[in-house]
Amino acid sequence: MADVNRGNRPLSPHLQVYRLPLAAVTSIMTRITGHALVAGIVLIVWWLVAAVSSGGAFAVADWVVRSWLGFIILTGSMWALWFHLLAGVRHLLYDAGHLLGIKESERASQVLIVGSVVLALLTLVIFFMF
């Protein structure tokens, strides 16, 4: 192998130097939210199983679901569901050949973030109004 002086320059861009595009960040967040949805699903399934098991088991599960921790988990899961759904729609548009330009992809990622937050807040407002 040739004697190459590699000490003067980095071998690859690092996160301190290179900033990920917003489309890459939202793609990573889609994978994270997909896995995070499991927390909400586990909590809801536990609550439902406890409801058919016994009164004592349901009282414990219901207390956890109605606690601040349960509220945070379920609210986060609800936002993750909206985010994951909108990211899936964006991915379908990508597959159809739309939004593939840099500017369009950046705009789609912004709409994804804002849309998921707005839909989550709208869901909370509707939930607490009725």
Side-chain angles (χ1 to χ4, degrees):
M1 182 169 207
D3 186 25
V4 178
N5 184 3
R6 295 183 188 252
N8 295 336
R9 59 185 172 84
L11 297 177
S12 63
H14 299 282
L15 292 177
Q16 294 88 359
V17 178
Y18 179 73
R19 185 172 157 246
L20 288 173
L22 188 57
V25 172
T26 54
S27 177
I28 293 166
M29 282 299 297
T30 302
R31 287 158 177 81
I32 292 171
T33 56
H35 288 90
L37 284 169
V38 173
I41 291 170
V42 166
L43 189 61
I44 291 170
V45 167
W46 176 47
W47 184 74
L48 290 171
V49 168
V52 298
S53 296
S54 68
F58 179 71
V60 171
D62 194 50
W63 179 81
V64 172
V65 168
R66 292 175 181 260
S67 70
W68 62 270
L69 180 62
F71 177 76
I72 289 172
I73 291 172
L74 291 177
T75 302
S77 293
M78 181 255 311
W79 170 79
L81 184 63
W82 282 119
F83 186 91
H84 207 72
L85 175 77
L86 292 177
V89 171
R90 181 186 66 166
H91 190 72
L92 285 174
L93 291 171
Y94 284 168
D95 288 345
H98 304 292
L99 306 173
L100 295 177
I102 294 174
K103 295 288 185 189
E104 294 89 5
S105 178
E106 182 84 12
R107 183 73 176 143
S109 296
Q110 293 169 349
V111 168
L112 170 61
I113 294 168
V114 171
S116 65
V117 170
V118 167
L119 287 170
L121 290 175
L122 184 63
T123 303
L124 283 175
V125 167
I126 291 171
F127 178 75
F128 282 114
M129 286 184 74
F130 299 106

